[in-house]
């Protein structure tokens, strides 16, 4: 889901494409921006048939934009991605294997927290926010991060559309609903770098 992402989006897209197979797709949902984001993502779509750009037809905002992205996905497993992060390791294959081995509905993995220049900070996401599996505990303080999540496509039937009121993030929504209705499995390996910088759409506030 992208909006005014010109500063970092090339790094993110490159890191995703590097890990994708020939039958995978990268769905980019575009919220009307004031920078060169659209030109950048259109260039990628022209150069690689696995990249599809879909404009967000509804009201702007991160929740509606992620709903549009997810509703346009055609694959068996759906990976969420922020526009300013970087995927590392064998992220896709590691997560898909976990789905196949465990029958999970949602897989969440650890990730490095980094600054704007990708310098790794002292603690990982799991170390900072915990590994709570109780859905009610996660309502009190969310420790799920959307950028570290992937879910089976059938989950979409009961989590979309993501809420746009009450300041309930799509990651909290996914974690709590799948926690009650399905099976969540964790991967302790760090498979992405999550940038913390002044222009993040999703902030570091998790309450």
């Amino acid at each position: 889901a992208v909006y005014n992402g010109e500063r970092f989006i090339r790094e993110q897209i490159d890191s995703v494409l590097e890990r994708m197979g020939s039958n995978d797709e990268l769905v980019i949902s575009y919220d009307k921006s004031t920078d060169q984001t659209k030109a950048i993502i259109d260039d990628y779509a022209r150069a690689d048939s696995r990249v599809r750009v879909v404009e967000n037809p509804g009201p702007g905002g991160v929740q509606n934009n992620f709903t549009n992205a997810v509703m346009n996905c055609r694959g068996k497993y759906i990976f969420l991605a922020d526009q300013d992060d970087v995927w590392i390791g064998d992220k896709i294959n590691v997560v898909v294997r976990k789905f196949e081995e465990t029958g999970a509905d949602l897989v969440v993995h650890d990730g490095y927290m980094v600054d704007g220049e990708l310098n790794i900070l002292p603690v990982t996401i799991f170390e900072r926010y915990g590994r709570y599996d109780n859905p009610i505990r996660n309502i009190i303080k969310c420790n799920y991060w959307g950028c570290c999540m992937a879910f089976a496509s059938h989950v979409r039937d009961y989590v979309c559309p993501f809420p746009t009121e009450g300041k309930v993030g799509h990651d909290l929504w996914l974690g709590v609903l799948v926690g009650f209705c399905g099976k969540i499995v964790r991967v302790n390996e760090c498979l992405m770098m999550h940038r913390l910088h002044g222009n993040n759409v999703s902030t570091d506030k998790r309450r």
Side-chain angles (χ1 to χ4, degrees), residues 58-109:
V62 62
Q63 300 295 81
N64 283 327
N65 207 18
F66 268 111
T67 294
N68 186 55
V70 168
M71 295 305 295
N72 277 281
C73 291
R74 301 174 297 192
K76 183 177 181 180
Y77 302 115
I78 299 171
F79 289 68
L80 299 180
D82 293 343
Q83 65 188 13
D84 44 12
D85 298 330
V86 174
W87 289 14
I88 60 174
D90 197 17
K91 174 179 162 100
I92 293 177
N93 288 329
V94 168
V95 171
V96 169
R97 280 198 300 269
K98 188 63 67 172
F99 276 116
E100 301 292 343
E101 292 168 358
T102 67
D105 298 291
L106 184 149
V107 173
V108 57
H109 63 75

Side-chain angles (χ1 to χ4, degrees), residues 110-113 121-129 131 188 190:
D110 203 356
Y112 295 111
M113 305 180 78
L121 302 178
V123 295
T124 70
I125 291 173
F126 281 2
E127 288 170 346
R128 181 164 183 177
Y129 294 101
R131 299 175 173 86
N188 291 322
C190 288

